[in-house]
Amino acid sequence: MSSCVKIEDFRRRARRRLPRMVFDYLEGGAAGERGLSRNREAFSKHLFEARRLTDVSHRDASASLFGKRYPLPLAIAPTGINGVLRPGGDLMLARAAARHGIPFCLSTASTSTIEEVATASDGEKWFQLYVLHREQGMLFVKRALDAGYTTLILTVDVAVNGKRERDMRSGFKVPFRLSPRIALDAALHPLWSASQIRHGLPELANFATAQATDASSQAALMNRQMDASFDWAAFAQLRNAWPHKLILKGLNSLAEVGLAERAGADAVILSNHGGRQLEDVAAPIDTLRAVAGKCKMPLLLDSGIRSGADVVKGMAAGAQLCLLGRATLYGLAADGEAGVCDVIKMIASEIDTTLALTGYPRVSEIGPEALLAAH
Ligand SMILES: Cc1cc2nc3c(=O)[nH]c(=O)nc-3n(C[C@H](O)[C@H](O)[C@H](O)COP(=O)(O)O)c2cc1C
């Protein structure tokens, strides 16, 4: 993958390898996709204020969360249906994260089970839970606990799915229904088709039960289990049930971060789900600049991160770690586990260069003074 010089190159490779329908699932945002664009534009709006003549001969990209130090200020964000990009996609992401010493977060909607991922990777694993009915949620909590996941992430911006127009047009859903258009799309991408045929079409593996043995019944089960009535009282029950660190993902305002803090969350991921849920909301990097310093809880960031410079901006704005969503998925789709490793290495190298050029040798010590005042 040496010919890739930026994340956009991995994105192009992913687009070439995947059928249009699958690429659109990976890439798409909600409604007219203004949120998707806003996330990216926000990163270009925040500018560095570099220091000069500081010693940057030794640079350190390590960062810590909850007292644990990681070699890079990164984690891999939870993403569903990874097996449609590459069979075994969850396992590849988990192993690549472990190789680089960063946490991997497995989605509720994964295509490998909680237990398979635990066996495949000895790295740090987090489990992402959707707002599910209590009994189903507690079942997953117990499985994640038994399998050694260290941190639970509750995603709170999916009371229902966002309106993803690309998926509505293409007919993307689990299980796949073969229309002539989808069959042609697959035929034009033979490498992808061959790998999917060899391994079998992906299933919502965590929902497999004696009653839900195929993708269709698993998807129906997952839809039935989504609980749009989940509220702060339900969160309190989850808080009691999970003995380790519990992070809320999908908050995007100071007021909500305050509520999370009072409700006993250990940290918050400022996120708008990569622009896939509600279209007209703030870019989380903007929210982070407004929230940082006004709460005691660690803040993490995702949505729109496509370079090491973006990560350094996130850290300067007050993030403790930044999560990669589409960036690592481009690598996965382009070249499997090696592609994910290449993306992490590229971002690590860009972080290093950015630290040298901004005059801040340690990413953990960079703060808002490294950014021009927000306006
Ligand atoms: C294809 C795809 C699937 C996703 N699935 C989930 C999911 O199952 N659970 C979840 O909490 N977030 C999910 N997300 C959101 C990511 O965790 C993350 O918030 C988002 O990708 C960050 O934005 P970025 O892709 O611009 O980096 C998904 C994102 C993508 C792109």
Side-chain angles (χ1 to χ4, degrees):
M1 205 53 49
S2 55
S3 62
C4 288
V5 298
K6 56 199 286 200
I7 297 302
E8 174 62 20
D9 296 336
F10 290 98
R11 178 180 171 279
R12 283 207 198 97
R13 281 180 192 246
R15 193 171 57 187
R16 272 201 302 274
R17 189 177 177 281
L18 297 174
R20 171 81 188 263
M21 171 187 74
V22 178
F23 181 75
D24 277 349
Y25 162 70
L26 153 55
E27 184 73 351
E33 301 192 337
R34 283 192 299 267
L36 190 61
S37 313
R38 189 176 304 112
N39 287 346
R40 291 296 305 129
E41 284 154 15
F43 275 101
S44 52
K45 197 183 66 192
H46 295 286
L47 304 177
F48 290 115
E49 188 165 337
R51 291 195 304 198
R52 295 298 174 223
L53 299 183
T54 58
D55 180 354
V56 290
S57 54
H58 300 287
R59 297 176 295 277
D60 177 6
S62 68
S64 51
L65 177 68
F66 305 137
K68 179 163 179 197
R69 202 140 194 96
Y70 300 96
L72 293 168
L74 301 173
I76 295 190
T79 52
I81 330 183
N82 291 327
V84 78
L85 308 178
R86 285 271 169 181
D90 296 306
L91 310 178
M92 293 173 179
L93 285 161
R95 284 194 296 252
R99 188 161 309 158
H100 294 276
I102 62 175
F104 164 70
C105 186
L106 184 72
S107 163
T108 296
S110 58
T111 47
S112 298
T113 64
I114 294 171
E115 294 78 14
E116 284 165 345
V117 170
T119 308
S121 156
D122 57 2
E124 182 169 332
K125 289 165 293 287
W126 299 353
F127 181 68
Q128 175 264 323
L129 192 68
Y130 274 123
V131 289
L132 299 175
H133 288 294
R134 192 184 148 83
E135 205 176 311
Q136 181 71 59
M138 291 305 159
L139 222 58
F140 284 155
V141 163
K142 181 169 183 331
R143 283 173 64 181
L145 207 51
D146 290 348
Y149 287 66
T150 58
T151 300
L152 186 68
I153 311 267
L154 179 71
T155 295
V156 293
D157 57 5
V158 187
V160 299
N161 278 324
K163 187 180 178 209
R164 312 233 174 103
E165 293 178 6
R166 296 198 202 200
D167 294 348
M168 292 164 78
R169 284 186 213 289
S170 72
F172 181 93
K173 61 160 96 104
V174 177
F176 293 131
R177 303 221 184 282
L178 212 58
S179 68
R181 193 155 51 102
I182 292 174
L184 177 65
D185 197 1
L188 291 171
H189 297 86
L191 285 179
W192 177 87
S193 302
S195 74
Q196 293 290 327
I197 289 166
R198 225 178 10 257
H199 294 89
L201 286 172
E203 300 187 356
L204 293 170
N206 290 326
F207 289 88
T209 61
Q211 290 75 41
T213 52
D214 57 20
S216 172
S217 43
Q218 292 154 11
L221 179 59
M222 176 162 160
N223 285 336
R224 276 200 308 280
Q225 291 299 333
M226 294 297 288
D227 179 9
S229 74
F230 199 104
D231 58 9
W232 288 108
F235 174 73
Q237 294 182 340
L238 184 67
R239 175 67 283 186
N240 281 338
W242 180 259
H244 306 310
K245 298 297 181 191
L246 176 50
I247 302 180
L248 283 181
K249 171 175 182 281
L251 302 182
N252 202 8
S253 77
L254 178 59
E256 294 289 302
V257 170
L259 287 178
E261 200 161 35
R262 285 194 288 284
D266 294 300
V268 156
I269 302 172
L270 294 174
S271 165
N272 62 18
H273 217 98
R276 293 164 78 83
Q277 285 297 101
L278 193 58
E279 180 180 28
D280 285 328
V281 290
I285 178 71
D286 290 345
T287 309
L288 178 60
R289 289 200 76 177
V291 171
K294 299 193 178 114
C295 67
K296 293 195 202 72
M297 206 172 29
L299 299 171
L300 288 74
L301 175 74
D302 78 20
S303 298
I305 296 171
R306 300 288 182 274
S307 71
D310 292 344
V311 173
V312 176
K313 286 179 187 179
M315 299 298 285
Q320 212 100 355
L321 288 183
C322 293
L323 286 86
L324 303 176
R326 292 183 184 80
T328 29
L329 294 184
Y330 296 146
L332 176 69
D335 199 26
E337 189 173 330
V340 181
C341 286
D342 287 340
V343 163
I344 296 171
K345 277 188 254 169
M346 180 178 288
I347 290 193
S349 154
E350 291 170 349
I351 291 172
D352 184 65
T353 306
T354 307
L355 292 178
L357 295 179
T358 52
Y360 290 86
R362 276 173 287 282
V363 84
S364 57
E365 290 174 10
I366 200 163
E369 63 286 351
L371 296 174
L372 277 181
H375 42 259

